[in-house]
Amino acid sequence: MKYLIVGLGNIGPAYELTRHNIGFLTLDRLADKFEADWKSDRLAFKSEIKYKGRNIHLIKPTTYMNLSGKAVNYWLKELKIPKENLLVVVDEVALPFSKLRMRAKGSSAGHNGLKNIEDLTGGQNYPRLRMGIGNDFPKGKQVEYVLGRFSEQEFEELPIMMDKAIDMILGFCTIGISQTMTQFND
């Protein structure tokens, strides 16, 4: 069984520890746990881990957030992975910080990375893991907030949140999305 796990984010040091890059950060932590290396490949940084008989391909698109669909579409086809075995890990302002929610499908909810994936893969019917980053920003300042760095307190709590997300990713690949949602969704 093959899976494609996509962490959304933006490349470059200016974005490295920003809220918008929580997908990248979580996949980095997952790869570290399995001592897996990242390689620069077509449209993405790519890594692969093996877990309980599953081949789990990890990608961090190098297309920048708003064009993430290019990398997702390419790697789904290249690896011949069915869309139900795709999981997109993404930041979510509509959830309080550290809350996690996995869904089998859904709207982009204004998230440009998800919107581009929808546009290029043919719809909203793909699993996603939304990682709550909160919405503690004044009206009209969402872009600055998501592209801003985590607060000191958030940064301290981040490893706990990412470890739970990793458990959810591995659950998705082994026990399936329904059981994982039942067991882990906040």
mmCIF file with all atom_site columns, all heavy atoms in Angstrom, residues 120-131:
data_model
loop_
_atom_site.group_PDB
_atom_site.id
_atom_site.type_symbol
_atom_site.label_atom_id
_atom_site.label_alt_id
_atom_site.label_comp_id
_atom_site.label_asym_id
_atom_site.label_entity_id
_atom_site.label_seq_id
_atom_site.pdbx_PDB_ins_code
_atom_site.Cartn_x
_atom_site.Cartn_y
_atom_site.Cartn_z
_atom_site.occupancy
_atom_site.B_iso_or_equiv
_atom_site.pdbx_formal_charge
_atom_site.auth_seq_id
_atom_site.auth_comp_id
_atom_site.auth_asym_id
_atom_site.auth_atom_id
_atom_site.pdbx_PDB_model_num
ATOM 1  N N   . LEU A 1 120 ? -6.562  21.482 -9.479  1.00 0.00 ? 120 LEU A N   1
ATOM 2  C CA  . LEU A 1 120 ? -5.684  20.664 -10.314 1.00 0.00 ? 120 LEU A CA  1
ATOM 3  C C   . LEU A 1 120 ? -5.862  19.157 -10.140 1.00 0.00 ? 120 LEU A C   1
ATOM 4  O O   . LEU A 1 120 ? -5.365  18.390 -10.964 1.00 0.00 ? 120 LEU A O   1
ATOM 5  C CB  . LEU A 1 120 ? -4.225  21.051 -10.084 1.00 0.00 ? 120 LEU A CB  1
ATOM 6  C CG  . LEU A 1 120 ? -3.882  22.494 -10.504 1.00 0.00 ? 120 LEU A CG  1
ATOM 7  C CD1 . LEU A 1 120 ? -2.427  22.810 -10.230 1.00 0.00 ? 120 LEU A CD1 1
ATOM 8  C CD2 . LEU A 1 120 ? -4.193  22.735 -11.970 1.00 0.00 ? 120 LEU A CD2 1
ATOM 9  N N   . THR A 1 121 ? -6.569  18.731 -9.103  1.00 0.00 ? 121 THR A N   1
ATOM 10 C CA  . THR A 1 121 ? -6.784  17.284 -8.936  1.00 0.00 ? 121 THR A CA  1
ATOM 11 C C   . THR A 1 121 ? -8.243  16.888 -9.161  1.00 0.00 ? 121 THR A C   1
ATOM 12 O O   . THR A 1 121 ? -8.576  15.723 -9.040  1.00 0.00 ? 121 THR A O   1
ATOM 13 C CB  . THR A 1 121 ? -6.339  16.783 -7.538  1.00 0.00 ? 121 THR A CB  1
ATOM 14 O OG1 . THR A 1 121 ? -7.167  17.374 -6.544  1.00 0.00 ? 121 THR A OG1 1
ATOM 15 C CG2 . THR A 1 121 ? -4.875  17.076 -7.285  1.00 0.00 ? 121 THR A CG2 1
ATOM 16 N N   . GLY A 1 122 ? -9.078  17.861 -9.465  1.00 0.00 ? 122 GLY A N   1
ATOM 17 C CA  . GLY A 1 122 ? -10.456 17.529 -9.819  1.00 0.00 ? 122 GLY A CA  1
ATOM 18 C C   . GLY A 1 122 ? -11.435 17.472 -8.665  1.00 0.00 ? 122 GLY A C   1
ATOM 19 O O   . GLY A 1 122 ? -12.243 16.555 -8.580  1.00 0.00 ? 122 GLY A O   1
ATOM 20 N N   . GLY A 1 123 ? -11.377 18.417 -7.770  1.00 0.00 ? 123 GLY A N   1
ATOM 21 C CA  . GLY A 1 123 ? -12.417 18.510 -6.746  1.00 0.00 ? 123 GLY A CA  1
ATOM 22 C C   . GLY A 1 123 ? -11.930 18.438 -5.316  1.00 0.00 ? 123 GLY A C   1
ATOM 23 O O   . GLY A 1 123 ? -10.733 18.368 -5.042  1.00 0.00 ? 123 GLY A O   1
ATOM 24 N N   . GLN A 1 124 ? -12.912 18.433 -4.418  1.00 0.00 ? 124 GLN A N   1
ATOM 25 C CA  . GLN A 1 124 ? -12.667 18.527 -2.975  1.00 0.00 ? 124 GLN A CA  1
ATOM 26 C C   . GLN A 1 124 ? -12.553 17.166 -2.299  1.00 0.00 ? 124 GLN A C   1
ATOM 27 O O   . GLN A 1 124 ? -12.370 17.090 -1.090  1.00 0.00 ? 124 GLN A O   1
ATOM 28 C CB  . GLN A 1 124 ? -13.811 19.289 -2.315  1.00 0.00 ? 124 GLN A CB  1
ATOM 29 C CG  . GLN A 1 124 ? -14.017 20.680 -2.856  1.00 0.00 ? 124 GLN A CG  1
ATOM 30 C CD  . GLN A 1 124 ? -15.255 21.351 -2.278  1.00 0.00 ? 124 GLN A CD  1
ATOM 31 O OE1 . GLN A 1 124 ? -16.071 20.728 -1.602  1.00 0.00 ? 124 GLN A OE1 1
ATOM 32 N NE2 . GLN A 1 124 ? -15.406 22.634 -2.550  1.00 0.00 ? 124 GLN A NE2 1
ATOM 33 N N   . ASN A 1 125 ? -12.660 16.103 -3.059  1.00 0.00 ? 125 ASN A N   1
ATOM 34 C CA  . ASN A 1 125 ? -12.724 14.758 -2.473  1.00 0.00 ? 125 ASN A CA  1
ATOM 35 C C   . ASN A 1 125 ? -11.331 14.175 -2.223  1.00 0.00 ? 125 ASN A C   1
ATOM 36 O O   . ASN A 1 125 ? -10.927 13.191 -2.821  1.00 0.00 ? 125 ASN A O   1
ATOM 37 C CB  . ASN A 1 125 ? -13.544 13.825 -3.370  1.00 0.00 ? 125 ASN A CB  1
ATOM 38 C CG  . ASN A 1 125 ? -12.945 13.705 -4.768  1.00 0.00 ? 125 ASN A CG  1
ATOM 39 O OD1 . ASN A 1 125 ? -12.290 14.620 -5.249  1.00 0.00 ? 125 ASN A OD1 1
ATOM 40 N ND2 . ASN A 1 125 ? -13.158 12.578 -5.412  1.00 0.00 ? 125 ASN A ND2 1
ATOM 41 N N   . TYR A 1 126 ? -10.614 14.805 -1.313  1.00 0.00 ? 126 TYR A N   1
ATOM 42 C CA  . TYR A 1 126 ? -9.326  14.263 -0.875  1.00 0.00 ? 126 TYR A CA  1
ATOM 43 C C   . TYR A 1 126 ? -9.195  14.538 0.625   1.00 0.00 ? 126 TYR A C   1
ATOM 44 O O   . TYR A 1 126 ? -9.652  15.559 1.119   1.00 0.00 ? 126 TYR A O   1
ATOM 45 C CB  . TYR A 1 126 ? -8.150  14.874 -1.654  1.00 0.00 ? 126 TYR A CB  1
ATOM 46 C CG  . TYR A 1 126 ? -8.005  16.359 -1.474  1.00 0.00 ? 126 TYR A CG  1
ATOM 47 C CD1 . TYR A 1 126 ? -7.233  16.881 -0.435  1.00 0.00 ? 126 TYR A CD1 1
ATOM 48 C CD2 . TYR A 1 126 ? -8.676  17.247 -2.306  1.00 0.00 ? 126 TYR A CD2 1
ATOM 49 C CE1 . TYR A 1 126 ? -7.133  18.250 -0.243  1.00 0.00 ? 126 TYR A CE1 1
ATOM 50 C CE2 . TYR A 1 126 ? -8.577  18.610 -2.126  1.00 0.00 ? 126 TYR A CE2 1
ATOM 51 C CZ  . TYR A 1 126 ? -7.797  19.102 -1.096  1.00 0.00 ? 126 TYR A CZ  1
ATOM 52 O OH  . TYR A 1 126 ? -7.715  20.462 -0.896  1.00 0.00 ? 126 TYR A OH  1
ATOM 53 N N   . PRO A 1 127 ? -8.595  13.598 1.357   1.00 0.00 ? 127 PRO A N   1
ATOM 54 C CA  . PRO A 1 127 ? -8.433  13.769 2.801   1.00 0.00 ? 127 PRO A CA  1
ATOM 55 C C   . PRO A 1 127 ? -7.462  14.897 3.160   1.00 0.00 ? 127 PRO A C   1
ATOM 56 O O   . PRO A 1 127 ? -6.504  15.164 2.443   1.00 0.00 ? 127 PRO A O   1
ATOM 57 C CB  . PRO A 1 127 ? -7.875  12.419 3.256   1.00 0.00 ? 127 PRO A CB  1
ATOM 58 C CG  . PRO A 1 127 ? -8.281  11.455 2.193   1.00 0.00 ? 127 PRO A CG  1
ATOM 59 C CD  . PRO A 1 127 ? -8.227  12.253 0.920   1.00 0.00 ? 127 PRO A CD  1
ATOM 60 N N   . ARG A 1 128 ? -7.766  15.546 4.285   1.00 0.00 ? 128 ARG A N   1
ATOM 61 C CA  . ARG A 1 128 ? -6.883  16.597 4.777   1.00 0.00 ? 128 ARG A CA  1
ATOM 62 C C   . ARG A 1 128 ? -6.851  16.570 6.296   1.00 0.00 ? 128 ARG A C   1
ATOM 63 O O   . ARG A 1 128 ? -7.811  16.146 6.939   1.00 0.00 ? 128 ARG A O   1
ATOM 64 C CB  . ARG A 1 128 ? -7.284  17.974 4.257   1.00 0.00 ? 128 ARG A CB  1
ATOM 65 C CG  . ARG A 1 128 ? -8.536  18.617 4.767   1.00 0.00 ? 128 ARG A CG  1
ATOM 66 C CD  . ARG A 1 128 ? -9.867  18.262 4.131   1.00 0.00 ? 128 ARG A CD  1
ATOM 67 N NE  . ARG A 1 128 ? -9.963  18.089 2.708   1.00 0.00 ? 128 ARG A NE  1
ATOM 68 C CZ  . ARG A 1 128 ? -10.263 19.042 1.847   1.00 0.00 ? 128 ARG A CZ  1
ATOM 69 N NH1 . ARG A 1 128 ? -10.519 20.246 2.262   1.00 0.00 ? 128 ARG A NH1 1
ATOM 70 N NH2 . ARG A 1 128 ? -10.344 18.773 0.564   1.00 0.00 ? 128 ARG A NH2 1
ATOM 71 N N   . LEU A 1 129 ? -5.724  16.994 6.833   1.00 0.00 ? 129 LEU A N   1
ATOM 72 C CA  . LEU A 1 129 ? -5.550  17.131 8.271   1.00 0.00 ? 129 LEU A CA  1
ATOM 73 C C   . LEU A 1 129 ? -5.321  18.614 8.536   1.00 0.00 ? 129 LEU A C   1
ATOM 74 O O   . LEU A 1 129 ? -4.295  19.165 8.161   1.00 0.00 ? 129 LEU A O   1
ATOM 75 C CB  . LEU A 1 129 ? -4.360  16.304 8.763   1.00 0.00 ? 129 LEU A CB  1
ATOM 76 C CG  . LEU A 1 129 ? -3.960  16.484 10.237  1.00 0.00 ? 129 LEU A CG  1
ATOM 77 C CD1 . LEU A 1 129 ? -5.133  16.211 11.170  1.00 0.00 ? 129 LEU A CD1 1
ATOM 78 C CD2 . LEU A 1 129 ? -2.775  15.584 10.572  1.00 0.00 ? 129 LEU A CD2 1
ATOM 79 N N   . ARG A 1 130 ? -6.319  19.244 9.131   1.00 0.00 ? 130 ARG A N   1
ATOM 80 C CA  . ARG A 1 130 ? -6.246  20.676 9.427   1.00 0.00 ? 130 ARG A CA  1
ATOM 81 C C   . ARG A 1 130 ? -5.652  20.849 10.822  1.00 0.00 ? 130 ARG A C   1
ATOM 82 O O   . ARG A 1 130 ? -6.144  20.276 11.785  1.00 0.00 ? 130 ARG A O   1
ATOM 83 C CB  . ARG A 1 130 ? -7.630  21.301 9.352   1.00 0.00 ? 130 ARG A CB  1
ATOM 84 C CG  . ARG A 1 130 ? -8.224  21.281 7.946   1.00 0.00 ? 130 ARG A CG  1
ATOM 85 C CD  . ARG A 1 130 ? -9.603  21.947 7.952   1.00 0.00 ? 130 ARG A CD  1
ATOM 86 N NE  . ARG A 1 130 ? -10.272 21.896 6.678   1.00 0.00 ? 130 ARG A NE  1
ATOM 87 C CZ  . ARG A 1 130 ? -10.262 22.882 5.770   1.00 0.00 ? 130 ARG A CZ  1
ATOM 88 N NH1 . ARG A 1 130 ? -9.605  23.988 6.007   1.00 0.00 ? 130 ARG A NH1 1
ATOM 89 N NH2 . ARG A 1 130 ? -10.918 22.760 4.642   1.00 0.00 ? 130 ARG A NH2 1
ATOM 90 N N   . MET A 1 131 ? -4.611  21.667 10.897  1.00 0.00 ? 131 MET A N   1
ATOM 91 C CA  . MET A 1 131 ? -3.922  21.916 12.161  1.00 0.00 ? 131 MET A CA  1
ATOM 92 C C   . MET A 1 131 ? -4.227  23.338 12.607  1.00 0.00 ? 131 MET A C   1
ATOM 93 O O   . MET A 1 131 ? -3.877  24.298 11.914  1.00 0.00 ? 131 MET A O   1
ATOM 94 C CB  . MET A 1 131 ? -2.418  21.700 11.986  1.00 0.00 ? 131 MET A CB  1
ATOM 95 C CG  . MET A 1 131 ? -2.078  20.271 11.558  1.00 0.00 ? 131 MET A CG  1
ATOM 96 S SD  . MET A 1 131 ? -0.300  19.957 11.430  1.00 0.00 ? 131 MET A SD  1
ATOM 97 C CE  . MET A 1 131 ? 0.160   20.005 13.169  1.00 0.00 ? 131 MET A CE  1
#
